[in-house]
């Protein structure tokens, strides 16, 4: 059965979700230090798991309470479509690896997915206090300011980006990342290779950068950014040019004026 919910109800829900995500951000900010923590793989894993647990303790109950009948997607590194209905796809520490290494590119994200379509998202950056939000059909915003993607039409002038979806990507994917970076360095202006995806996608939505692509389908890193970019006027597809859906094997979000040119460069590699 398809779950329906009027747009105005999603808009009303946004306030409660924003409050919950900001409160969770306090828990993650309190764990932050400007120096690296964890000197081994086991130590890094311990720190990242502790970050996740601290945030989920604050975030899970308010989100499930905000939407009666909604369910929780447990594995933040999972991909593919979800069962029908409403699901919360959350990354309690998007950019967790940056957080535990004392860097500043990390956030808390929560996205409501209805029948495999993201319909509401909140991305909060605790160190700056900035909050990016989007509701399907209602636009994308940074705090209270509307977002709009870049107006560029020349790929040669474009700032673009990509990165890993998760540690331990297979060798074929890593080689495609390298090949795609080379191709875009030849055809574009600057390429950023970094994690996490959401922190690159907020820049696409805000018009600061012009495109982001990824060869893996980890839901939690793409759903929030996909909604933000599309609601800011961007184009979101897979690398065959088809509309992106949960379960698409790859991803491209770009300003409309350079999307086709970026697709032409990247699709042979995909």
């Amino acid at each position: 059965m398809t779950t329906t919910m009027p747009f105005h109800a999603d808009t009303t829900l946004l306030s409660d979700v924003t409050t919950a995500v900001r409160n969770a951000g306090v828990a993650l900010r309190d764990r932050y230090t400007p120096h690296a923590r964890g000197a081994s793989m086991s130590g890094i894993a311990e720190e990242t798991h502790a970050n996740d647990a601290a945030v989920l303790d604050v975030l899970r109950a308010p989100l499930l309470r905000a939407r009666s009948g909604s369910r929780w997607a447990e594995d933040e590194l999972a991909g593919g479509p979800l069962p029908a209905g409403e699901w919360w796809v959350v990354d309690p520490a998007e950019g967790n690896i940056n957080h535990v290494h004392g860097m500043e590119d990390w956030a808390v994200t929560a996205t409501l997915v209805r029948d495999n379509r993201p319909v509401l998202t909140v991305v909060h950056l605790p160190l700056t206090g900035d909050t990016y939000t989007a509701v399907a059909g209602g636009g994308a915003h940074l705090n209270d300011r509307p977002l709009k993607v870049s107006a560029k039409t020349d790929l040669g002038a474009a700032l673009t980006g990509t990165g890993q979806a998760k540690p331990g990507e297979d060798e074929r994917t890593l080689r495609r990342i390298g090949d795609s970076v080379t191709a875009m360095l030849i055809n574009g202006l600057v390429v950023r290779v970094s994690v996490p995806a959401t922190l690159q996608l907020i820049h696409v939505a805000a018009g600061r950068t012009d495109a982001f692509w990824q060869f893996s389908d980890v839901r939690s890193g793409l759903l929030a950014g996909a909604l933000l970019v599309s609601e800011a006027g961007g184009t979101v597809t897979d690398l065959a040019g088809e509309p992106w859906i949960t379960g698409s094997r790859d991803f491209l979000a770009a300003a409309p004026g350079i999307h086709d040119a970026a697709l032409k460069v990247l699709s042979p590699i995909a």
Side-chain angles (χ1 to χ4, degrees):
M1 177 182 293
T2 300
T3 305
T4 59
M5 187 177 180
F7 164 75
H8 68 82
D10 284 336
T11 304
T12 302
L13 179 63
L14 182 63
S15 176
D16 289 341
V17 177
T18 300
T19 297
V21 173
R22 285 175 174 166
N23 288 342
V26 173
L28 191 58
R29 187 184 64 209
D30 287 348
R31 293 188 49 79
Y32 175 71
T33 65
H35 59 268
R37 311 189 308 279
S40 64
M41 285 298 295
S42 61
I44 292 169
E46 182 178 339
E47 290 288 346
T48 58
H49 292 158
N51 282 348
D52 285 346
V55 174
L56 290 174
D57 281 348
V58 179
L59 189 57
R60 185 193 302 261
L63 291 184
L64 290 172
R65 187 167 57 244
R67 275 301 294 152
S68 177
S70 62
R71 288 176 284 177
W72 194 269
E74 291 289 345
D75 186 354
E76 70 189 60
L77 294 179
L82 290 159
E86 293 187 339
W87 292 82
W88 290 107
V89 175
V90 169
D91 197 321
E94 170 74 326
N96 211 342
I97 196 70
N98 295 338
H99 185 287
V100 303
H101 282 85
M103 295 184 283
E104 299 180 354
D105 292 342
W106 46 271
V108 179
T109 78
T111 304
L112 182 63
V113 180
R114 181 175 303 127
D115 297 329
N116 281 294
R117 291 182 58 251
V119 295
L120 177 153
T121 195
V122 176
V123 176
H124 179 59
L125 283 60
L127 287 184
T128 65
D130 285 337
T131 304
Y132 293 78
T133 62
V135 174
H141 296 80
L142 166 55
N143 303 322
D144 293 322
R145 180 174 62 82
L147 295 176
K148 187 170 180 57
V149 297
S150 164
K152 285 181 185 173
T153 58
D154 177 9
L155 184 62
L159 279 65
T160 64
T162 190
Q164 294 170 250
K166 56 185 175 181
E169 296 270 24
D170 64 87
E171 183 177 345
R172 181 169 178 267
T173 297
L174 296 177
R175 291 190 181 279
R176 284 193 295 173
I177 293 171
D179 290 345
S180 69
V181 169
T182 299
M184 198 60 81
L185 284 169
I186 293 168
N187 290 277
L189 179 62
V190 171
V191 180
R192 301 180 70 213
V193 182
S194 64
V195 295
T198 303
L199 271 293
Q200 293 214 54
L201 285 163
I202 61 174
H203 293 310
V204 178
R208 304 180 193 114
T209 63
D210 307 295
F212 172 84
W213 73 94
Q214 184 169 287
F215 290 108
S216 302
D217 70 339
V218 173
R219 285 189 301 257
S220 64
L222 297 176
L223 280 163
L227 184 59
L228 283 163
V229 171
S230 61
E231 287 296 321
T235 303
V236 182
T237 68
D238 63 18
L239 290 176
E242 297 297 322
W244 181 80
I245 57 173
T246 53
S248 294
R249 69 176 186 174
D250 40 45
F251 177 93
L252 172 63
I258 67 154
H259 178 270
D260 287 351
L263 196 62
K264 184 176 181 180
V265 171
L266 295 169
S267 59
I269 299 165

